[in-house]
Amino acid sequence: VQLQASGGGLVQSGGSLRLSCVASGLNFAAYNIGWFRQAPGKEREGVSCISSKDGSIRYDDSVRGRFTISRDNAKKMLYLQMDNLKPEDTAVYYCAIDNLVGVRCTTHYYEYDYWGKGTLVTVSS
């Protein structure tokens, strides 16, 4: 299983970015998938996830209303549209897959089994 996130960069506060994650080596549609981030000196935290079972979505309170997660199962792609970015959103962003099927997704990073290399998002004030 391979995951690769892209789309990070430097943006001013209030700006937007769209992250992408491409997956290979698995039946992408069968699994829950999520976005996570880790800022320097901080623990990895869940941002958002989307379930395979019913398409249900979860967001961390810190990003709800600003970020939108989506998936394209045919292309094996996961996306994160990030709007109204704030300096506190600065982090390395990762996509990850939970290989436990048949349940709704969670934003607890320790539940996830496959991780891609991250992409750095820097939001200047």
Side-chain angles (χ1 to χ4, degrees):
V1 177
Q2 289 190 327
L3 299 169
Q4 179 62 58
S6 62
L10 173 63
V11 63
Q12 289 187 330
S13 182
S16 298
L17 283 174
R18 188 192 194 207
L19 304 185
S20 299
C21 173
V22 59
S24 61
L26 79 168
N27 180 11
F28 181 80
Y31 299 102
N32 297 338
I33 189 165
W35 286 102
F36 302 82
R37 66 186 181 186
Q38 189 165 18
K42 293 188 177 181
E43 188 178 14
R44 189 167 298 189
E45 62 178 6
V47 174
S48 181
C49 68
I50 184 166
S51 302
S52 63
K53 180 180 180 182
D54 57 5
S56 58
I57 290 172
R58 296 181 188 271
Y59 292 103
D60 184 78
D61 287 345
S62 64
V63 307
R64 186 174 292 111
R66 301 187 297 122
F67 290 10
T68 304
I69 191 172
S70 61
R71 66 190 293 168
D72 184 331
N73 289 335
K75 295 181 179 179
K76 297 188 177 182
M77 294 289 295
L78 177 72
Y79 304 99
L80 186 69
Q81 177 66 40
M82 306 187 295
D83 298 318
N84 191 20
L85 283 159
K86 303 176 180 180
E88 51 263 44
D89 295 318
T90 295
V92 177
Y93 283 70
Y94 302 87
C95 53
I97 284 179
D98 178 0
N99 68 2
L100 181 63
V101 300
V103 297
R104 289 186 173 175
C105 70
T106 171
T107 54
H108 299 142
Y109 69 87
Y110 46 81
E111 298 283 355
Y112 285 71
D113 305 284
Y114 303 110
W115 292 83
K117 294 182 180 179
T119 185
L120 176 62
V121 172
T122 304
V123 184
S124 63
S125 57

PDB file of all heavy atoms in Angstrom, residues 70-97:
ATOM      1  N   SER A  70     -13.091  15.174   0.584  1.00  0.00           N
ATOM      2  CA  SER A  70     -13.822  14.422  -0.432  1.00  0.00           C
ATOM      3  C   SER A  70     -12.931  13.299  -0.943  1.00  0.00           C
ATOM      4  O   SER A  70     -11.712  13.332  -0.770  1.00  0.00           O
ATOM      5  CB  SER A  70     -14.275  15.327  -1.581  1.00  0.00           C
ATOM      6  OG  SER A  70     -13.165  15.920  -2.227  1.00  0.00           O
ATOM      7  N   ARG A  71     -13.572  12.317  -1.568  1.00  0.00           N
ATOM      8  CA  ARG A  71     -12.830  11.211  -2.135  1.00  0.00           C
ATOM      9  C   ARG A  71     -13.395  10.860  -3.503  1.00  0.00           C
ATOM     10  O   ARG A  71     -14.586  11.030  -3.753  1.00  0.00           O
ATOM     11  CB  ARG A  71     -12.849   9.998  -1.196  1.00  0.00           C
ATOM     12  CG  ARG A  71     -14.215   9.367  -0.999  1.00  0.00           C
ATOM     13  CD  ARG A  71     -14.205   8.319   0.135  1.00  0.00           C
ATOM     14  NE  ARG A  71     -13.402   7.148  -0.176  1.00  0.00           N
ATOM     15  CZ  ARG A  71     -13.058   6.216   0.710  1.00  0.00           C
ATOM     16  NH1 ARG A  71     -13.449   6.328   1.974  1.00  0.00           N
ATOM     17  NH2 ARG A  71     -12.337   5.176   0.344  1.00  0.00           N
ATOM     18  N   ASP A  72     -12.523  10.342  -4.357  1.00  0.00           N
ATOM     19  CA  ASP A  72     -12.913   9.845  -5.669  1.00  0.00           C
ATOM     20  C   ASP A  72     -12.423   8.403  -5.734  1.00  0.00           C
ATOM     21  O   ASP A  72     -11.233   8.159  -5.965  1.00  0.00           O
ATOM     22  CB  ASP A  72     -12.284  10.707  -6.758  1.00  0.00           C
ATOM     23  CG  ASP A  72     -12.736  10.302  -8.155  1.00  0.00           C
ATOM     24  OD1 ASP A  72     -13.064   9.114  -8.373  1.00  0.00           O
ATOM     25  OD2 ASP A  72     -12.729  11.166  -9.038  1.00  0.00           O
ATOM     26  N   ASN A  73     -13.317   7.474  -5.506  1.00  0.00           N
ATOM     27  CA  ASN A  73     -12.913   6.070  -5.430  1.00  0.00           C
ATOM     28  C   ASN A  73     -12.396   5.545  -6.772  1.00  0.00           C
ATOM     29  O   ASN A  73     -11.485   4.706  -6.786  1.00  0.00           O
ATOM     30  CB  ASN A  73     -14.077   5.216  -4.947  1.00  0.00           C
ATOM     31  CG  ASN A  73     -14.392   5.458  -3.478  1.00  0.00           C
ATOM     32  OD1 ASN A  73     -13.544   5.875  -2.699  1.00  0.00           O
ATOM     33  ND2 ASN A  73     -15.633   5.209  -3.105  1.00  0.00           N
ATOM     34  N   ALA A  74     -12.948   6.021  -7.855  1.00  0.00           N
ATOM     35  CA  ALA A  74     -12.509   5.555  -9.175  1.00  0.00           C
ATOM     36  C   ALA A  74     -11.055   5.943  -9.439  1.00  0.00           C
ATOM     37  O   ALA A  74     -10.307   5.182 -10.058  1.00  0.00           O
ATOM     38  CB  ALA A  74     -13.416   6.120 -10.249  1.00  0.00           C
ATOM     39  N   LYS A  75     -10.671   7.102  -8.970  1.00  0.00           N
ATOM     40  CA  LYS A  75      -9.301   7.573  -9.177  1.00  0.00           C
ATOM     41  C   LYS A  75      -8.391   7.229  -7.998  1.00  0.00           C
ATOM     42  O   LYS A  75      -7.199   7.519  -8.042  1.00  0.00           O
ATOM     43  CB  LYS A  75      -9.300   9.085  -9.397  1.00  0.00           C
ATOM     44  CG  LYS A  75     -10.011   9.533 -10.667  1.00  0.00           C
ATOM     45  CD  LYS A  75      -9.930  11.044 -10.821  1.00  0.00           C
ATOM     46  CE  LYS A  75     -10.609  11.477 -12.101  1.00  0.00           C
ATOM     47  NZ  LYS A  75     -10.566  12.960 -12.263  1.00  0.00           N
ATOM     48  N   LYS A  76      -8.963   6.651  -6.943  1.00  0.00           N
ATOM     49  CA  LYS A  76      -8.210   6.347  -5.725  1.00  0.00           C
ATOM     50  C   LYS A  76      -7.573   7.606  -5.160  1.00  0.00           C
ATOM     51  O   LYS A  76      -6.385   7.627  -4.793  1.00  0.00           O
ATOM     52  CB  LYS A  76      -7.166   5.271  -5.978  1.00  0.00           C
ATOM     53  CG  LYS A  76      -7.754   3.923  -6.381  1.00  0.00           C
ATOM     54  CD  LYS A  76      -6.697   2.834  -6.439  1.00  0.00           C
ATOM     55  CE  LYS A  76      -7.323   1.498  -6.773  1.00  0.00           C
ATOM     56  NZ  LYS A  76      -6.315   0.403  -6.798  1.00  0.00           N
ATOM     57  N   MET A  77      -8.374   8.648  -5.089  1.00  0.00           N
ATOM     58  CA  MET A  77      -7.881   9.940  -4.640  1.00  0.00           C
ATOM     59  C   MET A  77      -8.672  10.439  -3.441  1.00  0.00           C
ATOM     60  O   MET A  77      -9.877  10.219  -3.319  1.00  0.00           O
ATOM     61  CB  MET A  77      -7.999  10.975  -5.750  1.00  0.00           C
ATOM     62  CG  MET A  77      -7.125  10.729  -6.961  1.00  0.00           C
ATOM     63  SD  MET A  77      -5.372  11.004  -6.631  1.00  0.00           S
ATOM     64  CE  MET A  77      -5.355  12.767  -6.304  1.00  0.00           C
ATOM     65  N   LEU A  78      -7.979  11.134  -2.564  1.00  0.00           N
ATOM     66  CA  LEU A  78      -8.561  11.826  -1.432  1.00  0.00           C
ATOM     67  C   LEU A  78      -8.149  13.285  -1.540  1.00  0.00           C
ATOM     68  O   LEU A  78      -7.029  13.580  -1.929  1.00  0.00           O
ATOM     69  CB  LEU A  78      -8.046  11.239  -0.114  1.00  0.00           C
ATOM     70  CG  LEU A  78      -8.509  11.917   1.165  1.00  0.00           C
ATOM     71  CD1 LEU A  78      -9.978  11.606   1.425  1.00  0.00           C
ATOM     72  CD2 LEU A  78      -7.648  11.456   2.345  1.00  0.00           C
ATOM     73  N   TYR A  79      -9.083  14.178  -1.177  1.00  0.00           N
ATOM     74  CA  TYR A  79      -8.816  15.601  -1.281  1.00  0.00           C
ATOM     75  C   TYR A  79      -9.145  16.307   0.035  1.00  0.00           C
ATOM     76  O   TYR A  79      -9.968  15.842   0.819  1.00  0.00           O
ATOM     77  CB  TYR A  79      -9.656  16.234  -2.393  1.00  0.00           C
ATOM     78  CG  TYR A  79      -9.475  15.586  -3.737  1.00  0.00           C
ATOM     79  CD1 TYR A  79     -10.393  14.656  -4.222  1.00  0.00           C
ATOM     80  CD2 TYR A  79      -8.373  15.895  -4.538  1.00  0.00           C
ATOM     81  CE1 TYR A  79     -10.230  14.055  -5.454  1.00  0.00           C
ATOM     82  CE2 TYR A  79      -8.205  15.292  -5.776  1.00  0.00           C
ATOM     83  CZ  TYR A  79      -9.130  14.389  -6.228  1.00  0.00           C
ATOM     84  OH  TYR A  79      -8.953  13.794  -7.450  1.00  0.00           O
ATOM     85  N   LEU A  80      -8.491  17.441   0.230  1.00  0.00           N
ATOM     86  CA  LEU A  80      -8.834  18.310   1.355  1.00  0.00           C
ATOM     87  C   LEU A  80      -8.766  19.747   0.845  1.00  0.00           C
ATOM     88  O   LEU A  80      -7.684  20.259   0.578  1.00  0.00           O
ATOM     89  CB  LEU A  80      -7.883  18.110   2.536  1.00  0.00           C
ATOM     90  CG  LEU A  80      -8.272  18.888   3.798  1.00  0.00           C
ATOM     91  CD1 LEU A  80      -9.557  18.310   4.403  1.00  0.00           C
ATOM     92  CD2 LEU A  80      -7.140  18.843   4.830  1.00  0.00           C
ATOM     93  N   GLN A  81      -9.934  20.344   0.708  1.00  0.00           N
ATOM     94  CA  GLN A  81     -10.012  21.764   0.350  1.00  0.00           C
ATOM     95  C   GLN A  81      -9.943  22.578   1.633  1.00  0.00           C
ATOM     96  O   GLN A  81     -10.769  22.409   2.523  1.00  0.00           O
ATOM     97  CB  GLN A  81     -11.313  22.057  -0.386  1.00  0.00           C
ATOM     98  CG  GLN A  81     -11.517  23.519  -0.735  1.00  0.00           C
ATOM     99  CD  GLN A  81     -10.501  24.029  -1.735  1.00  0.00           C
ATOM    100  OE1 GLN A  81     -10.151  23.328  -2.688  1.00  0.00           O
ATOM    101  NE2 GLN A  81     -10.019  25.254  -1.526  1.00  0.00           N
ATOM    102  N   MET A  82      -8.935  23.429   1.716  1.00  0.00           N
ATOM    103  CA  MET A  82      -8.709  24.219   2.918  1.00  0.00           C
ATOM    104  C   MET A  82      -8.901  25.688   2.596  1.00  0.00           C
ATOM    105  O   MET A  82      -8.142  26.251   1.795  1.00  0.00           O
ATOM    106  CB  MET A  82      -7.301  23.968   3.463  1.00  0.00           C
ATOM    107  CG  MET A  82      -6.992  22.488   3.691  1.00  0.00           C
ATOM    108  SD  MET A  82      -5.419  22.211   4.515  1.00  0.00           S
ATOM    109  CE  MET A  82      -4.298  22.819   3.270  1.00  0.00           C
ATOM    110  N   ASP A  83      -9.906  26.286   3.180  1.00  0.00           N
ATOM    111  CA  ASP A  83     -10.214  27.693   2.968  1.00  0.00           C
ATOM    112  C   ASP A  83     -10.046  28.476   4.264  1.00  0.00           C
ATOM    113  O   ASP A  83     -10.049  27.911   5.349  1.00  0.00           O
ATOM    114  CB  ASP A  83     -11.648  27.845   2.461  1.00  0.00           C
ATOM    115  CG  ASP A  83     -11.870  27.166   1.121  1.00  0.00           C
ATOM    116  OD1 ASP A  83     -10.988  27.284   0.244  1.00  0.00           O
ATOM    117  OD2 ASP A  83     -12.912  26.498   0.956  1.00  0.00           O
ATOM    118  N   ASN A  84      -9.912  29.788   4.123  1.00  0.00           N
ATOM    119  CA  ASN A  84      -9.753  30.658   5.286  1.00  0.00           C
ATOM    120  C   ASN A  84      -8.665  30.120   6.225  1.00  0.00           C
ATOM    121  O   ASN A  84      -8.871  29.988   7.437  1.00  0.00           O
ATOM    122  CB  ASN A  84     -11.080  30.790   6.039  1.00  0.00           C
ATOM    123  CG  ASN A  84     -11.056  31.880   7.093  1.00  0.00           C
ATOM    124  OD1 ASN A  84     -10.222  32.790   7.045  1.00  0.00           O
ATOM    125  ND2 ASN A  84     -11.937  31.778   8.068  1.00  0.00           N
ATOM    126  N   LEU A  85      -7.532  29.832   5.653  1.00  0.00           N
ATOM    127  CA  LEU A  85      -6.440  29.259   6.432  1.00  0.00           C
ATOM    128  C   LEU A  85      -5.920  30.231   7.472  1.00  0.00           C
ATOM    129  O   LEU A  85      -5.913  31.454   7.263  1.00  0.00           O
ATOM    130  CB  LEU A  85      -5.306  28.820   5.503  1.00  0.00           C
ATOM    131  CG  LEU A  85      -5.574  27.499   4.771  1.00  0.00           C
ATOM    132  CD1 LEU A  85      -4.700  27.377   3.541  1.00  0.00           C
ATOM    133  CD2 LEU A  85      -5.337  26.328   5.708  1.00  0.00           C
ATOM    134  N   LYS A  86      -5.492  29.653   8.592  1.00  0.00           N
ATOM    135  CA  LYS A  86      -4.979  30.439   9.706  1.00  0.00           C
ATOM    136  C   LYS A  86      -3.551  29.990  10.012  1.00  0.00           C
ATOM    137  O   LYS A  86      -3.172  28.857   9.700  1.00  0.00           O
ATOM    138  CB  LYS A  86      -5.854  30.200  10.946  1.00  0.00           C
ATOM    139  CG  LYS A  86      -7.319  30.527  10.739  1.00  0.00           C
ATOM    140  CD  LYS A  86      -8.137  30.178  11.972  1.00  0.00           C
ATOM    141  CE  LYS A  86      -9.612  30.496  11.777  1.00  0.00           C
ATOM    142  NZ  LYS A  86     -10.419  30.167  12.973  1.00  0.00           N
ATOM    143  N   PRO A  87      -2.757  30.838  10.636  1.00  0.00           N
ATOM    144  CA  PRO A  87      -1.381  30.443  10.986  1.00  0.00           C
ATOM    145  C   PRO A  87      -1.330  29.157  11.809  1.00  0.00           C
ATOM    146  O   PRO A  87      -0.381  28.370  11.648  1.00  0.00           O
ATOM    147  CB  PRO A  87      -0.877  31.648  11.779  1.00  0.00           C
ATOM    148  CG  PRO A  87      -1.631  32.809  11.208  1.00  0.00           C
ATOM    149  CD  PRO A  87      -3.003  32.257  10.914  1.00  0.00           C
ATOM    150  N   GLU A  88      -2.319  28.922  12.629  1.00  0.00           N
ATOM    151  CA  GLU A  88      -2.328  27.699  13.448  1.00  0.00           C
ATOM    152  C   GLU A  88      -2.610  26.433  12.635  1.00  0.00           C
ATOM    153  O   GLU A  88      -2.527  25.330  13.166  1.00  0.00           O
ATOM    154  CB  GLU A  88      -3.337  27.815  14.599  1.00  0.00           C
ATOM    155  CG  GLU A  88      -4.721  28.243  14.176  1.00  0.00           C
ATOM    156  CD  GLU A  88      -4.955  29.734  14.349  1.00  0.00           C
ATOM    157  OE1 GLU A  88      -4.056  30.534  13.996  1.00  0.00           O
ATOM    158  OE2 GLU A  88      -6.062  30.083  14.826  1.00  0.00           O
ATOM    159  N   ASP A  89      -2.918  26.589  11.353  1.00  0.00           N
ATOM    160  CA  ASP A  89      -3.069  25.430  10.473  1.00  0.00           C
ATOM    161  C   ASP A  89      -1.717  24.959   9.932  1.00  0.00           C
ATOM    162  O   ASP A  89      -1.657  23.921   9.268  1.00  0.00           O
ATOM    163  CB  ASP A  89      -3.986  25.765   9.286  1.00  0.00           C
ATOM    164  CG  ASP A  89      -5.421  26.061   9.719  1.00  0.00           C
ATOM    165  OD1 ASP A  89      -5.935  25.336  10.592  1.00  0.00           O
ATOM    166  OD2 ASP A  89      -6.003  27.013   9.161  1.00  0.00           O
ATOM    167  N   THR A  90      -0.680  25.704  10.200  1.00  0.00           N
ATOM    168  CA  THR A  90       0.656  25.335   9.732  1.00  0.00           C
ATOM    169  C   THR A  90       1.078  23.996  10.314  1.00  0.00           C
ATOM    170  O   THR A  90       1.063  23.797  11.532  1.00  0.00           O
ATOM    171  CB  THR A  90       1.678  26.417  10.128  1.00  0.00           C
ATOM    172  OG1 THR A  90       1.366  27.630   9.440  1.00  0.00           O
ATOM    173  CG2 THR A  90       3.090  25.984   9.786  1.00  0.00           C
ATOM    174  N   ALA A  91       1.412  23.057   9.430  1.00  0.00           N
ATOM    175  CA  ALA A  91       1.772  21.700   9.852  1.00  0.00           C
ATOM    176  C   ALA A  91       2.140  20.883   8.628  1.00  0.00           C
ATOM    177  O   ALA A  91       1.915  21.309   7.486  1.00  0.00           O
ATOM    178  CB  ALA A  91       0.598  21.036  10.574  1.00  0.00           C
ATOM    179  N   VAL A  92       2.680  19.713   8.876  1.00  0.00           N
ATOM    180  CA  VAL A  92       2.803  18.705   7.825  1.00  0.00           C
ATOM    181  C   VAL A  92       1.497  17.911   7.816  1.00  0.00           C
ATOM    182  O   VAL A  92       1.063  17.432   8.875  1.00  0.00           O
ATOM    183  CB  VAL A  92       4.000  17.782   8.064  1.00  0.00           C
ATOM    184  CG1 VAL A  92       4.056  16.700   6.991  1.00  0.00           C
ATOM    185  CG2 VAL A  92       5.298  18.584   8.080  1.00  0.00           C
ATOM    186  N   TYR A  93       0.899  17.803   6.663  1.00  0.00           N
ATOM    187  CA  TYR A  93      -0.375  17.113   6.511  1.00  0.00           C
ATOM    188  C   TYR A  93      -0.141  15.735   5.898  1.00  0.00           C
ATOM    189  O   TYR A  93       0.590  15.600   4.907  1.00  0.00           O
ATOM    190  CB  TYR A  93      -1.328  17.930   5.633  1.00  0.00           C
ATOM    191  CG  TYR A  93      -1.930  19.098   6.377  1.00  0.00           C
ATOM    192  CD1 TYR A  93      -1.139  20.191   6.734  1.00  0.00           C
ATOM    193  CD2 TYR A  93      -3.273  19.104   6.753  1.00  0.00           C
ATOM    194  CE1 TYR A  93      -1.679  21.262   7.442  1.00  0.00           C
ATOM    195  CE2 TYR A  93      -3.816  20.171   7.447  1.00  0.00           C
ATOM    196  CZ  TYR A  93      -3.020  21.243   7.792  1.00  0.00           C
ATOM    197  OH  TYR A  93      -3.554  22.308   8.489  1.00  0.00           O
ATOM    198  N   TYR A  94      -0.806  14.743   6.470  1.00  0.00           N
ATOM    199  CA  TYR A  94      -0.683  13.362   6.028  1.00  0.00           C
ATOM    200  C   TYR A  94      -2.048  12.785   5.691  1.00  0.00           C
ATOM    201  O   TYR A  94      -3.050  13.116   6.336  1.00  0.00           O
ATOM    202  CB  TYR A  94      -0.093  12.498   7.141  1.00  0.00           C
ATOM    203  CG  TYR A  94       1.254  12.912   7.652  1.00  0.00           C
ATOM    204  CD1 TYR A  94       1.382  13.849   8.674  1.00  0.00           C
ATOM    205  CD2 TYR A  94       2.418  12.352   7.130  1.00  0.00           C
ATOM    206  CE1 TYR A  94       2.623  14.225   9.157  1.00  0.00           C
ATOM    207  CE2 TYR A  94       3.668  12.715   7.614  1.00  0.00           C
ATOM    208  CZ  TYR A  94       3.748  13.660   8.629  1.00  0.00           C
ATOM    209  OH  TYR A  94       4.991  14.024   9.098  1.00  0.00           O
ATOM    210  N   CYS A  95      -2.067  11.876   4.721  1.00  0.00           N
ATOM    211  CA  CYS A  95      -3.251  11.065   4.504  1.00  0.00           C
ATOM    212  C   CYS A  95      -2.956   9.657   5.027  1.00  0.00           C
ATOM    213  O   CYS A  95      -1.799   9.226   5.028  1.00  0.00           O
ATOM    214  CB  CYS A  95      -3.649  11.028   3.043  1.00  0.00           C
ATOM    215  SG  CYS A  95      -2.343  10.555   1.887  1.00  0.00           S
ATOM    216  N   ALA A  96      -4.006   8.998   5.463  1.00  0.00           N
ATOM    217  CA  ALA A  96      -3.825   7.670   6.038  1.00  0.00           C
ATOM    218  C   ALA A  96      -5.080   6.839   5.846  1.00  0.00           C
ATOM    219  O   ALA A  96      -6.184   7.375   5.704  1.00  0.00           O
ATOM    220  CB  ALA A  96      -3.494   7.780   7.528  1.00  0.00           C
ATOM    221  N   ILE A  97      -4.894   5.524   5.852  1.00  0.00           N
ATOM    222  CA  ILE A  97      -5.988   4.571   5.661  1.00  0.00           C
ATOM    223  C   ILE A  97      -6.111   3.664   6.871  1.00  0.00           C
ATOM    224  O   ILE A  97      -5.112   3.184   7.419  1.00  0.00           O
ATOM    225  CB  ILE A  97      -5.754   3.744   4.382  1.00  0.00           C
ATOM    226  CG1 ILE A  97      -6.070   4.597   3.155  1.00  0.00           C
ATOM    227  CG2 ILE A  97      -6.592   2.473   4.372  1.00  0.00           C
ATOM    228  CD1 ILE A  97      -5.848   3.905   1.842  1.00  0.00           C
TER     229      ILE A  97
END
